[in-house]
Structure formats: structure tokens, C-alpha cells
Amino acid sequence: MQQVVDWIFGHALQIIGGVILFVGIAAVIVYASKQSARVHQKQIENKDPREGE
């Protein structure tokens, strides 16, 4: 058990950095997805319903 604790404390900076990187990437993906959905919704609202007839 002590070896596990020592390993975690020995690699704490790498672990924290990896978690921050993962959360940052996830936040960028969520933000881009919401922006894309917003743009898509505006395109649907602005579309002329008579098109394609």
C-alpha cells in the first residue's frame, strides 16, 4: 500500500496535468458542439419553407 501512495505522490504533477488536459479538451468539445447546434438551429429558422417545391 505504501508503494502505491509513494507512486501517486511521485507522479502527482503528471496526474494533475493529465486531468486538467482531459477536462480542457472535454470543455472545448462541449463548447464546439453547442456552437454547432446553435448555428444549425439558426439555419433551420432562416430556411424558406417554400424551397424545394
Side-chain angles (χ1 to χ4, degrees), residues 9-44:
F9 282 122
H11 294 86
L13 290 178
Q14 291 90 343
I15 293 169
I16 291 169
V19 169
I20 290 172
L21 182 64
F22 177 77
V23 170
I25 291 171
V28 167
I29 291 171
V30 168
Y31 178 76
S33 175
K34 286 185 178 186
Q35 287 293 100
S36 176
R38 189 175 299 143
V39 167
H40 184 70
Q41 185 64 30
K42 283 185 180 182
Q43 287 176 344
I44 290 173

